[in-house]
Amino acid sequence: MKEDSIEFATRDGQRLQAWRWAPEGAPRGVVQVQHGLGEHGGRYRRFGEALAAAGYLVYAPDGRGSGRSANGRYGHWGPDGWPGWVDDLLQLNHRIRQDHPGLPVALVGHSMGSFATQQFLLDHSAAVDAAVLLGSTEVSGIVAMMTAEGPVDLSALNQGFEHRTGFEWLSRDAAEVDRYCADPACGFVPEPFAGIQTLARAADPAALSAIRPDLPILILSGDADPIAGGGAALQLVAQRYRDAGVSDVDLTLYPGARHELLNETNRDEVTARIVAFLDRTIGG
C-alpha cells in the first residue's frame, strides 16, 4: 500500500488537498470518500488502507474549510458555500477520471459528505458507478438545522448519551471519541453554509427521478445514530430512491451503533460490508 496526496482546484478558486491510498499492483476500481462536518480526510486512513488491501485506489479529500485545505481557517467555506461543497465532488471526480480512465468509481459519503452525495447524485449519477451513504438521514431536518439563526450547534445530538466529552454520540469506542477531541482539525464551529437550501432538492421526487435506475446504492447506519431517527429516516431515504425507480438500494441498520460507523466498535464488520458491496458493483 502506498500513501500520497494530490491537489485539485475548485470552481471558486480554492486548492484542496486529497489523501490517496493505492494498492499493490493495478487497482480494481477507485473509491472517492467525502468526509463529514468538523473533520477531515486524514481520519479515513484506516478505512483507506483496508480498501487498498482489497485492491481499490482511494481518494479522500480534506474538503473546503477542513483539514489541510483550510489553512487554519476551519469552517470557512469560501464564496460558493454549500453548492461549492457539492461541486467539489464533481471536480475530484473529473480528476479521478482524467488520471484513471476506464476504471469504475464508487462514491462514499459520510454525514455532511453523505448529504452532499445525495445532492450530487441528482445531477451527476452517470459520473459514478456505485454510491455508499454512511451516517446519513432524510435531508429536510438538516436543512432546517443548518439554516437556523446563530452558529451550528451539534451539542443537542449528545442528549441521551453519557456526557464525558460531549461527542459520545459519535461512537461507543471511547478511544475513538478521545482521538476526535484531541484533533485540532475536528469539532470546530463552522460558519453558516450559504446555499444549503439547495440540499432540499434531495427530498424532491421529481429531482430524484433523474438518478439513473441502475445505480447501486448502499445505505449503512447505526440505529442509535441520533440523526437516523432510530432508522426510520434511512428507511424513508431508501424508499424514496426505490420510488424514483432505482432498482438496487440496500439498507443495513446496525443495532446500538452510533454516528461514525467507520470508527465504531463494529467497524471491521462495516468495512467488510462495504468491501463486499464494492466487489459486487465495481470490483469485477
Side-chain angles (χ1 to χ4, degrees):
M1 194 280 299
K2 177 185 177 183
E3 175 182 291
D4 62 9
S5 290
I6 66 159
E7 183 178 88
F8 66 101
T10 70
R11 68 182 181 187
D12 59 354
Q14 299 190 52
R15 305 295 300 183
L16 302 187
Q17 305 294 317
W19 300 94
R20 186 166 57 182
W21 296 286
E24 299 293 338
R28 307 166 64 189
V30 184
V31 181
Q32 178 180 342
V33 179
Q34 186 63 38
H35 65 74
L37 182 65
E39 60 156 349
H40 55 89
R43 298 186 72 227
Y44 292 78
R45 177 176 284 108
R46 178 173 55 210
F47 181 58
E49 289 175 347
L51 296 186
Y56 298 100
L57 175 62
V58 183
Y59 285 74
D62 290 343
R64 58 175 60 211
S66 306
R68 299 165 300 169
S69 300
N71 295 313
R73 301 183 68 194
Y74 300 123
H76 178 70
W77 307 126
D80 279 0
W82 174 253
W85 238 68
V86 178
D87 188 75
D88 295 345
L89 274 65
L90 182 62
Q91 301 310 316
L92 181 54
N93 179 277
H94 286 333
R95 172 64 182 270
I96 291 169
R97 294 293 190 182
Q98 173 185 319
D99 290 352
H100 309 284
L103 281 183
V105 178
L107 177 58
V108 177
H110 166 68
S111 197
M112 286 302 290
S114 79
F115 310 144
T117 297
Q118 288 190 45
Q119 187 168 341
F120 174 86
L121 293 178
L122 303 178
D123 302 307
H124 305 292
S125 63
V128 294
D129 300 285
V132 181
L133 304 179
L134 304 172
S136 200
T137 192
E138 194 279 322
V139 298
S140 299
I142 297 300
V143 172
M145 180 179 73
M146 301 298 286
T147 54
E149 291 293 328
V152 177
D153 181 11
L154 302 181
S155 62
L157 297 176
N158 213 54
Q159 293 179 6
F161 298 106
E162 64 279 16
H163 191 87
R164 184 176 61 87
T165 68
F167 291 98
E168 279 63 46
W169 64 280
L170 296 178
S171 175
R172 293 167 292 185
D173 189 328
E176 291 294 332
V177 172
D178 288 345
R179 272 190 278 273
Y180 179 91
C181 293
D183 189 335
C186 288
F188 53 82
V189 177
E191 68 182 19
F193 264 123
I196 190 69
Q197 296 89 343
T198 60
L199 176 58
R201 293 181 57 227
D204 178 5
L208 286 161
S209 68
I211 299 175
R212 60 186 181 90
D214 62 339
L215 178 69
I217 300 176
L218 176 65
I219 305 171
L220 303 179
S221 176
D223 68 4
D225 183 343
I227 73 167
L234 280 310
Q235 297 282 2
L236 177 57
V237 171
Q239 192 57 49
R240 282 176 176 165
Y241 285 128
R242 296 180 184 120
D243 291 344
V246 182
S247 60
D248 187 352
V249 181
D250 191 345
L251 168 63
T252 298
L253 298 172
Y254 293 98
R258 302 179 189 178
H259 186 60
E260 289 193 343
L261 286 177
L262 296 177
N263 294 320
E264 255 289 2
T265 54
N266 65 323
R267 55 184 170 262
D268 291 344
E269 175 188 15
V270 173
T271 299
R273 178 71 185 84
I274 295 171
V275 169
F277 174 75
L278 297 173
D279 289 348
R280 178 174 71 82
T281 57
I282 71 167

